[in-house]
Amino acid sequence: MEQLFVKSIKLNRNRVDDFDKYPFNIPIIKNLTEIKFEKPVTFIMGENGSGKSTVIESLAISVGLSAEGGTRNMVYETYNSTSPLDRYLTIIKSGMSPQWKYFLRAETFYTMAQASSQYNNGDTSIFNQSHGEAFNELFSKFSPNGLYFMDEPESALSPKSQMRLLSRIHSLAKNSQFIIVTHSPILLSYYAGQILNADNDLKPIAYKDTEIYKIYRHFLECPEKMQKYLFDD
């Protein structure tokens, strides 16, 4: 049975004073009413600057996680750069409570790892690994009955490691929920997932209709032609 801890989020638009100010001027937020999660695995894709990370950061904060990543037991902050969006969101929950919560934010992973060592009796073993190895070890520790937010988890992973992550997500999806921001055509290909398009007001989109799929397919089928097009411009 598919399990959803978060069914949807709503923006309390009546509380927003000015939709021309950040972060409410970001198109996907400016036009946001509600985001519905229909699958245990939801991907949010879109161009750089579309607001994907702002949305997932606010979701993570709204369920009690640090904006810089980690578990709900890790309370820390190195620099306050978060938007106030979480204060304007209402989280519609299913009534079930996850045993685990985690927010992976690729750009602050090193900072999170430093904080994590303080919560694990000074364990610094993670710093003896490559970036990708540390990511893989983290994913191996994900447990069932979890609510996981992930912002560009593929950033440190080889294609093989991305497939390993996809397998791990699938093995946990029966009783866990994942909300993932990604540019990875490998992750987006997950047949049982839902894809929301940040370039079109977070509306659902089929995998083969995404720009990511089309660009990778065209480039890999004929890299010389694509490079000629790029370089001759």
Side-chain angles (χ1 to χ4, degrees):
M1 180 179 178
E2 294 182 342
Q3 184 159 294
L4 297 177
F5 300 110
V6 177
K7 297 176 66 177
S8 68
I9 60 170
K10 294 183 178 180
L11 175 64
N12 299 310
R13 300 182 62 86
N14 60 317
R15 294 181 53 204
V16 179
D17 294 327
D18 190 348
F19 278 95
D20 290 325
K21 290 184 178 180
Y22 178 83
F24 306 104
N25 60 346
I26 299 173
I28 61 170
I29 298 172
K30 192 169 190 174
N31 300 324
L32 176 63
T33 300
E34 182 178 17
I35 304 173
K36 294 182 179 180
F37 301 106
E38 300 176 350
K39 300 285 185 179
V41 181
T42 299
F43 300 101
I44 301 175
M45 55 133 288
E47 191 51 76
N48 295 331
S50 61
K52 307 181 302 299
S53 293
T54 301
V55 168
I56 199 168
E57 169 193 271
S58 299
L59 276 172
I61 295 172
S62 295
V63 299
L65 297 171
S66 167
E68 295 182 43
T71 68
R72 57 187 168 188
N73 296 321
M74 296 173 60
V75 181
Y76 70 100
E77 181 180 85
T78 57
Y79 179 72
N80 184 6
S81 61
T82 59
S83 79
L85 179 60
D86 63 285
R87 300 197 290 271
Y88 295 81
L89 298 179
T90 296
I91 308 295
I92 310 301
K93 301 179 181 179
S94 65
M96 298 180 291
S97 298
Q99 184 176 358
W100 309 101
K101 294 180 185 177
Y102 196 93
F103 179 29
L104 169 69
R105 190 169 196 170
E107 66 181 2
T108 56
F109 181 76
Y110 184 79
T111 302
M112 184 279 300
Q114 288 180 310
S116 178
S117 68
Q118 299 175 14
Y119 287 86
N120 291 284
N121 299 316
D123 181 12
T124 59
S125 60
I126 196 171
F127 301 112
N128 298 323
Q129 300 173 312
S130 73
H131 201 185
E133 288 173 328
F135 270 45
N136 282 322
E137 180 176 333
L138 171 64
F139 302 144
S140 72
K141 294 179 179 178
F142 281 2
S143 299
N145 197 32
L147 175 59
Y148 300 105
F149 301 92
M150 307 170 77
D151 189 7
E152 300 186 12
E154 75 277 9
S155 63
L157 301 181
S158 69
K160 285 185 179 179
S161 288
Q162 290 181 48
M163 288 188 277
R164 188 180 299 118
L165 170 59
L166 189 59
S167 178
R168 183 64 179 150
I169 290 171
H170 177 69
S171 70
L172 294 171
K174 290 181 181 179
N175 53 17
S176 295
Q177 184 175 5
F178 291 84
I179 300 174
I180 304 170
V181 166
T182 185
H183 296 285
S184 167
I186 293 175
L187 297 182
L188 287 171
S189 71
Y190 183 48
Y191 70 90
Q194 171 191 26
I195 304 175
L196 302 179
N197 185 5
D199 295 327
N200 189 22
D201 293 336
L202 292 172
K203 293 178 181 177
I205 186 172
Y207 173 58
K208 291 188 177 180
D209 290 334
T210 65
E211 187 176 36
I212 288 174
Y213 171 82
K214 293 176 181 179
I215 288 175
Y216 271 92
R217 186 193 69 187
H218 290 321
F219 196 97
L220 294 175
E221 283 180 350
C222 194
E224 295 84 2
K225 183 178 180 180
M226 289 292 288
Q227 288 176 47
K228 186 177 187 303
Y229 169 78
L230 291 171
F231 303 157
D232 287 350
D233 187 358

